[in-house]
């Protein structure tokens, strides 16, 4: 039997082996129903328990207060780029965006179709190598909302401290939700596609403050209203039942690891192996992100030239390191060390990087 690869894919990404094995065990006959979860009616008691368990676990792990709704939607973060301004960008208001990478650019592009927008800050001129800090929140007090992208998969940057916004703060946390402790109450809305830290692709988690929901525009198509899904426990239409089942198993796994605080400690150790190797390589490896903006989830780095990069990626593939090619915007390499990537994989990669540098420098 082939051993499992060291999976550093940026997304869809690694899922804990224990979760996959449990899903495999329950695949044909879930909870003695004689059916797979995929075959259950979304109105059935057996599925409802799965659905509500996922909701309860997410609330417990992130410390989500009762003043927030937890929604399970479809369409990925990309649909949220449109749904947010469609619901919350009121006439005569401005939506403010801080640009820290390609996904925040895409979110801004969609918002422009619904009303006035403004780029509050951007690090684009530095090829998004850092999280912007050169902005003032003083003059946005009448804005509709402030939107940020908490982690940038392509560029390997991550917010360490979130702005204390005088207007509703919205965050795309698709690639770092559950990777570290956060104060949910700083945000009016958090959204995250599942395919990085929450499970397989297909479900999008939205955490939205009830008070903020009440400010939504009325003239929005029913299926695109957040209130529609909040009022129906995310069961207005058929949800992605298997993806939500997998989400519930991943959340149980996070709880078993000791919760988000314990996960954060492991993530810091994992990223530390690789960043230390980069920093101690005497310039052979160079990190794309500035040190104060480095991501725990996506570690981006370059080698001295294209020839060495190709050689590195080929030899890495032969050693079962998968998904290390960097995005064309940055080049070089990217190791995505999401929650489910084991510590051993990151240590093995760091050792391989050191070995490769010693042979080729």
């Amino acid at each position: 039997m082939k051993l499992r690869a060291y999976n550093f894919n940026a997304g869809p990404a690694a899922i804990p082996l224990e979760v996959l094995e449990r899903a495999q065990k329950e695949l044909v006959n879930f909870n003695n129903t004689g059916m797979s979860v995929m075959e259950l009616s979304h109105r059935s008691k057996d599925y409802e328990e799965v659905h509500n368990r996922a909701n309860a676990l997410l609330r417990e792990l992130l410390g989500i207060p009762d003043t927030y709704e937890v929604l399970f939607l479809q369409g990925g973060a990309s649909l949220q780029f449109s749904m947010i301004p469609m619901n919350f960008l009121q006439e005569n208001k401005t939506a403010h965006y801080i640009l820290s990478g390609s996904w925040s650019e895409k979110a801004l592009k969609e918002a422009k179709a619904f009303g006035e927008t403004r780029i509050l800050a951007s690090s684009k001129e530095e090829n998004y190598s850092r999280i912007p800090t050169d902005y003032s929140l003083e003059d946005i007090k009448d804005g509709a909302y402030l939107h940020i992208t908490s982690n940038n998969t392509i560029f390997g940057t991550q917010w360490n401290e979130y702005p204390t916004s005088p207007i509703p703060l919205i965050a795309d946390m698709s690639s770092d939700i559950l990777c570290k402790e956060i104060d949910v109450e700083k945000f009016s809305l958090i959204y995250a596609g599942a395919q990085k830290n929450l499970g397989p692709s297909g479900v999008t988690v939205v955490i939205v403050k009830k008070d903020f929901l009440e400010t939504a525009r009325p003239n929005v198509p029913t299926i695109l209203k957040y209130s529609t899904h909040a009022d129906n426990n995310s069961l207005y239409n058929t949800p992605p039942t298997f993806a939500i089942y997998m989400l519930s198993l991943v959340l149980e796994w996070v709880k078993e690891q000791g919760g988000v605080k314990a996960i954060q400690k492991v993530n810091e150790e994992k990223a530390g192996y690789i960043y230390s190797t980069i920093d101690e390589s005497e310039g052979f490896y160079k990190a794309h992100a500035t040190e104060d903006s480095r991501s725990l989830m996506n570690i981006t780095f370059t080698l001295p030239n294209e020839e060495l990069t190709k050689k590195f990626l080929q030899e890495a593939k032969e050693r079962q390191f998968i998904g290390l090619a960097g995005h064309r915007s940055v080049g070089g390499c990217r190791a995505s060390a999401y929650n489910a990537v084991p510590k051993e994989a990151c240590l093995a990669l760091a050792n391989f990087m050191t070995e490769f540098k010693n042979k080729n420098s």
Side-chain angles (χ1 to χ4, degrees):
M1 181 179 176
K2 182 179 178 180
L3 295 174
R4 282 177 58 77
Y6 295 125
N7 185 354
F8 290 98
N9 278 319
I15 292 175
L17 178 59
E18 299 95 319
V19 169
L20 294 172
E21 288 175 338
R22 180 172 169 187
Q24 180 185 46
K25 184 179 178 182
E26 297 178 344
L27 184 65
V28 176
N29 183 13
F30 173 74
N31 202 25
N32 291 319
T33 60
M35 294 176 283
S36 172
V37 169
M38 289 182 281
E39 300 174 290
L40 295 177
S41 165
H42 64 292
R43 307 293 181 193
S44 68
K45 182 175 180 293
D46 287 290
Y47 174 71
E48 188 177 23
E49 288 177 0
V50 170
H51 194 90
N52 292 339
R53 174 71 171 154
N55 187 311
L57 280 167
L58 198 62
R59 287 183 179 277
E60 177 185 345
L61 291 167
L62 284 175
I64 302 170
D66 291 340
T67 50
Y68 286 73
E69 297 282 1
V70 173
L71 311 177
F72 301 135
L73 307 182
Q74 300 177 62
S78 294
L79 181 57
Q80 294 304 303
F81 298 163
S82 297
M83 271 184 76
I84 287 164
M86 189 183 291
N87 280 265
F88 300 115
L89 181 45
Q90 305 283 0
E91 288 184 27
N92 304 317
K93 293 267 190 176
T94 300
H96 299 269
Y97 283 73
I98 295 179
L99 303 188
S100 54
S102 302
W103 297 110
S104 50
E105 283 185 10
K106 290 180 179 181
L108 171 65
K109 179 185 176 184
E110 296 304 312
K112 285 179 177 179
F114 296 96
E116 291 296 318
T117 61
R118 176 190 173 201
I119 299 171
L120 184 63
S122 173
S123 54
K124 186 172 186 175
E125 289 186 0
E126 297 149 89
N127 199 20
Y128 292 126
S129 60
R130 64 176 180 86
I131 296 296
T133 55
D134 48 343
Y135 60 88
S136 170
L137 299 173
E138 291 300 313
D139 60 346
I140 69 168
K141 291 178 181 176
D142 293 326
Y145 58 81
L146 172 62
H147 181 284
I148 66 170
T149 306
S150 62
N151 184 77
N152 302 281
T153 52
I154 291 174
F155 300 96
T157 60
Q158 185 177 28
W159 286 78
N160 290 316
E161 289 186 24
Y162 303 114
T164 301
S165 176
I167 60 175
L169 180 61
I170 295 176
D172 176 358
M173 292 192 179
S174 293
S175 55
D176 69 346
I177 194 169
L178 289 179
C179 89
K180 62 179 182 178
E181 292 185 298
I182 62 168
D183 179 4
V184 170
E185 292 186 90
K186 288 197 77 161
F187 303 88
S188 290
L189 190 150
I190 294 168
Y191 63 98
Q195 64 272 15
K196 321 280 190 181
N197 266 350
L198 297 176
S201 57
V203 61
T204 305
V205 167
V206 173
I207 303 163
V208 58
K209 199 169 188 177
K210 291 177 181 178
D211 288 352
F212 187 49
L213 263 182
E214 293 173 4
T215 69
R217 295 164 62 166
N219 56 335
V220 175
T222 303
I223 196 69
L224 297 175
K225 283 183 180 177
Y226 290 101
S227 59
T228 298
H229 304 285
D231 293 344
N232 291 278
N233 191 26
S234 301
L235 292 164
Y236 173 76
N237 63 327
T238 307
T241 54
F242 189 74
I244 294 169
Y245 159 72
M246 290 295 290
L247 165 64
S248 73
L249 297 189
V250 170
L251 295 175
E252 286 185 15
W253 175 83
V254 171
K255 185 175 179 178
E256 288 165 5
Q257 306 313 300
V260 178
K261 186 174 183 178
I263 288 282
Q264 179 175 344
K265 184 173 183 293
V266 173
N267 283 334
E268 289 168 350
E269 290 176 18
K270 285 157 46 179
Y273 295 145
I274 302 171
Y275 282 126
S276 294
T277 301
I278 292 168
D279 293 341
E280 295 166 9
S281 70
E282 300 173 320
F284 185 83
Y285 300 109
K286 291 183 179 177
H288 176 73
T290 59
E291 195 164 347
D292 60 345
S293 296
R294 287 178 172 179
S295 170
L296 292 176
M297 298 286 92
N298 308 99
I299 302 159
T300 50
F301 58 94
T302 56
L303 284 79
N305 56 57
E306 187 64 27
E307 184 181 346
L308 276 174
T309 302
K310 288 180 179 177
K311 185 178 181 184
F312 176 89
L313 291 171
Q314 179 57 40
E315 292 187 15
K317 187 176 180 180
E318 291 167 3
R319 302 276 194 97
Q320 293 295 298
F321 295 105
I322 304 301
L324 288 175
H327 191 273
R328 61 184 177 277
S329 304
V330 177
C333 302
R334 169 176 58 182
S336 295
Y338 298 121
N339 289 358
V341 176
K343 195 187 296 187
E344 297 74 27
C346 295
L347 185 57
L349 176 59
N351 290 336
F352 168 71
M353 289 170 66
T354 299
E355 177 190 322
F356 185 87
K357 178 250 179 184
N358 290 339
K359 285 182 179 178
N360 293 278
S361 59

